[in-house]
Amino acid sequence: MGNVRGTRTLNPKWDFKRIAAITILVAIFVVSVCLIRFGLVEKSDTSATSHFVRARVTQLIQDNTQRDENTEGILRGSQEVIVQVSSGAFKGKQYQTTNYLSALFNINAQEGTRVIVRLDPQGEGYSAFIYSYDRTGILLVMFGVFALSLILIGRGKGAMALVSLLFTLFAIVWILFPLLEYGFPAIPATVLIVFYTTVFTFVLIDGINKKTISGALGTLAGVLIASIFAAFAGYVSHISGFQTNEAEELLLIGTDHGMKISGLFTAGILIASLGAVMDVAMSIASAVHELHEVNDQMTAMELFRSGMNIGRDAMGTMANTLILAFVGSSFTLLLLIYYYNVGFTQLINTDMVAREVIQGLAGSIGIVLTVPIVAILSATIEKRN
């Protein structure tokens, strides 16, 4: 048995390297957003477009609905209502509108119901249509519960994890999406965003040390492996971004700006597998780091074997999580396929099913191969001075 160290660093300090790295990464984000916003995105005239605003039903003038027993008692018919806008430039204005209820579009507009209203230009004014229920409040409450739970249980690291999550989402929406819209190659652009957000997440949560270096490199390797496998499988099986339900609309919207649809399939897998791969990579890197901190006499091979043992426990559940997430997102469609008793040959060769299988397996392969990569990296880096 080797000597056991008497001291361990449980909480990484905000040293100069960590602060400098975060500052540089945030500066890159701000500069990129500004360049995209003012140098790439074209300004469009929105004076004649629709507006979506929050509103409340103030009066139910006429209710011509009745329950349809063929659709589990859902109300069907129409309602004549008056809505009062409660947000935006139209706040306080009232509109009378007809609300149609069907099995698929079903907004029961009673007095006091909070709804989202679409205002369309009509002559000198606007016509109003009820778009959906106003779910803003409940969604914000759910996010608040999630954020509070993360901070209370995770404390400082939980708060940093929340910040990194928001940062990643902003980077995707404010940097990646505009780049894709204006014709930048989808796969290289997504790889850059994945690498950038991965580095930011690891540095923010744990600083710059051997553990985060191993985890970041392993995450990038695992995500790249998943994307390479997905791109190859998509190529030989003729699956690309054109087989999605949104491809036609994206073609119509992105034609003027040069959007390339073919790489979006692989780009989506890069983003989808990032969280799970990062989780596995960090778990192994952290465990190997702790083992080395407790007993610095362990050899690189012993650390590698320990990392592999830990990784084998983690990769099974993570792979299941990724595949089941893809299955859950298409649950109703899979249920419909089951109901029609579709044969295996037809099922496996359907575009949607083939796409989901490739997505799930590519991400899972990335997770599985991340385990030995991170174990090797961690064991090697930990033993270096």
Side-chain angles (χ1 to χ4, degrees), residues 10-12 14 18 143-167 200-201 204-206:
L10 296 178
N11 296 311
W14 282 86
R18 188 179 185 186
F143 178 79
V145 172
F146 162 72
L148 187 62
S149 301
L150 196 60
I151 294 173
L152 289 178
I153 297 176
R155 297 184 180 179
K157 287 194 175 182
M160 294 300 100
L162 180 62
V163 172
S164 68
L165 172 61
L166 295 175
F167 185 86
F200 180 87
T201 298
L204 183 65
I205 294 177
D206 271 299

